[in-house]
Amino acid sequence: QQVLIHLRDVFSTVAMIGEVELDGLRTRLDTGAESTVQIDSHSIVPHLVYPEEVGRRSRLFSEGFYPPGAGPYSWQKRMVRDGNWKYTREWSGNAYAESLFRFEAGAWDEGENLLGDALTDLTQCENEALDELRTQMDRFEGEVQYEN
């Protein structure tokens, strides 16, 4: 069974293997106050022990940007992926691009960008996936709080 995991899941995986308790983990903020840490990481140990177990995520979100730091950024890319599809938004200067990929069973890569050729009509299934992932991306972008 396919399970969606993210690099950040390594944190909880190592903690579980090392028997480190993460509940109630605290951090000191720049203000000197302490705060409980919210960890968006899930151990993959249960999937290694019980491969038939259902994954905890139905989607993955990721983003990259350049240069590092608070911005402004000369390049940004955001991605949302579910079990079968990947949708990206990319900004570079004034240029903006979207991509849609379909993952095929047994394939080693994401395949061709289904939005790469303006002359290609999407199937109903592809349009439905695009609409759903755009909605999820909009929701993600609306919920993420950036410090600056």
Side-chain angles (χ1 to χ4, degrees):
Q1 171 175 328
Q2 180 182 15
V3 176
L4 295 175
I5 60 173
H6 192 277
L7 179 61
R8 65 182 172 248
D9 295 330
V10 172
F11 181 77
S12 290
T13 302
V14 171
M16 180 178 268
I17 291 169
E19 299 179 356
V20 175
E21 182 60 45
L22 297 178
D23 290 337
L25 190 63
R26 313 269 305 159
T27 187
R28 187 169 303 281
L29 303 174
D30 291 341
T31 62
E34 284 194 3
S35 174
T36 302
V37 176
Q38 292 182 341
I39 299 173
D40 185 18
S41 176
H42 304 289
S43 175
I44 65 169
V45 170
H47 305 295
L48 299 174
V49 175
Y50 305 104
E52 67 281 355
E53 184 172 313
V54 176
R56 295 187 66 181
R57 288 194 175 89
S58 59
R59 290 179 188 79
L60 289 177
F61 296 94
S62 186
E63 64 182 329
F65 49 86
Y66 183 84
Y73 306 114
S74 58
W75 174 85
Q76 294 183 67
K77 188 172 190 175
R78 295 187 178 141
M79 178 276 306
V80 59
R81 184 193 190 288
D82 64 16
N84 298 311
W85 303 92
K86 175 182 168 182
Y87 169 70
T88 68
R89 292 178 179 166
E90 185 172 358
W91 299 264
S92 182
N94 293 328
Y96 172 79
E98 294 179 295
S99 304
L100 179 68
F101 302 94
R102 181 178 195 155
F103 290 89
E104 300 291 339
W108 286 93
D109 64 12
E110 58 198 18
E112 69 177 287
N113 176 7
L114 299 173
L115 302 179
D117 185 352
L119 301 177
T120 302
D121 290 330
L122 297 178
T123 66
Q124 180 178 346
C125 180
E126 292 165 345
N127 271 312
E128 289 171 359
L130 179 61
D131 289 344
E132 173 62 21
L133 292 177
R134 278 179 174 159
T135 298
Q136 292 302 318
M137 180 70 79
D138 291 342
R139 183 175 296 137
F140 170 71
E141 290 176 344
E143 291 175 355
V144 172
Q145 295 181 12
Y146 296 94
E147 292 181 11
N148 294 322

